[in-house]
């Protein structure tokens, strides 16, 4: 693995994000990953930032709530489709997805949360800010289309402590 510059891979990230990437969390020794297809990547507080939107109903939400870190592992070449499908439909409440799919983890020096090998890019993120969405601040069309059950997202803003290319 080599370290790469965030801005060098920003376009790659934004291009594949809608197809799904792995958002990995760890809390009290429990490691879980879910598929994430939304988010933003940019610059604020003089830091490179990835924002991960996690609905309150996700097991990931419970794990990330009291964490300092998350990692995002990104397949750029269409690999791990079956795994993205599974991690995007099954909950860590019901499955140990890492074991079920034989996902290979690797430790990184910047965070206690590992990355998932077999992906092309890995973002190590340190949470700097989190924000619950407020229904009353949201456009009515988006609210009706995207939140019929009012299962709102919390936005987790992580400073990108390192980006690795595998
Ligand atoms: C392509 C794709 C993208 C997704 N993007 C998100 C997302 O950005 N935020 C979110 O909360 N859930 C998203 N999901 C749904 C979660 O991945 C799914 O509910 C998962 O089972 C949650 O796992 P968990 O309960 O272990 O956290 C997405 C699912 C798919 C298939």
């Amino acid at each position: 693995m080599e370290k790469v510059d965030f801005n060098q891979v920003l376009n790659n990230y934004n291009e594949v994000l809608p197809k799904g990437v792995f958002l990995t969390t760890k809390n009290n020794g429990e490691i879980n990953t879910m598929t994430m297809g939304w988010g933003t990547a940019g610059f604020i507080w003089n830091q490179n930032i990835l924002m991960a939107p996690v609905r309150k109903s996700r097991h990931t939400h419970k794990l990330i709530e009291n964490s300092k870190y998350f990692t995002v592992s990104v397949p750029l070449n269409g690999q791990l489709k079956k795994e993205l499908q599974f991690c995007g439909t099954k909950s860590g409440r019901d499955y140990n997805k890492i074991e079920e799919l034989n996902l290979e983890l690797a430790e990184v020096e910047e965070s206690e949360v590992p990355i998932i090998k077999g992906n092309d890019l890995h973002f190590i993120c340190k949470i700097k800010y989190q924000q619950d969405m407020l229904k009353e601040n949201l456009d009515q069309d988006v609210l009706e289309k995207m939140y019929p059950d009012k299962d709102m997202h919390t936005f987790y803003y992580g400073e990108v402590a390192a980006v690795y290319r595998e």
Side-chain angles (χ1 to χ4, degrees), residues 32 34-35 37-38 53 55 58-60 87-88 90-92 97:
N32 185 48
M34 70 160 231
T35 303
W38 288 356
R55 291 191 197 254
R58 312 298 187 225
H59 188 57
T60 297
C87 293
K90 305 286 188 268
S91 176
K97 292 185 245 182

Side-chain angles (χ1 to χ4, degrees), residues 10-41:
L10 204 49
N11 288 344
N12 300 108
Y13 177 72
N14 283 322
E15 260 171 47
V16 301
L17 179 63
K19 292 187 191 144
V21 301
F22 295 94
L23 169 64
T24 304
T25 47
K26 180 175 179 182
N27 195 317
N28 254 334
E30 179 183 352
I31 298 168
N32 185 48
T33 192
M34 70 160 231
T35 303
M36 174 173 86
W38 288 356
T40 53

Side-chain angles (χ1 to χ4, degrees), residues 36-51:
M36 174 173 86
W38 288 356
T40 53
F43 189 70
I44 185 170
W45 311 307
N46 279 347
Q47 295 169 351
N48 295 321
I49 296 282
L50 276 199
M51 187 278 282

Side-chain angles (χ1 to χ4, degrees), residues 129-133 153-157:
Y129 182 64
Q130 65 187 67
Q131 182 178 42
D132 288 340
M133 286 187 70
H153 287 96
T154 304
F155 298 145
Y156 296 91
Y157 291 77

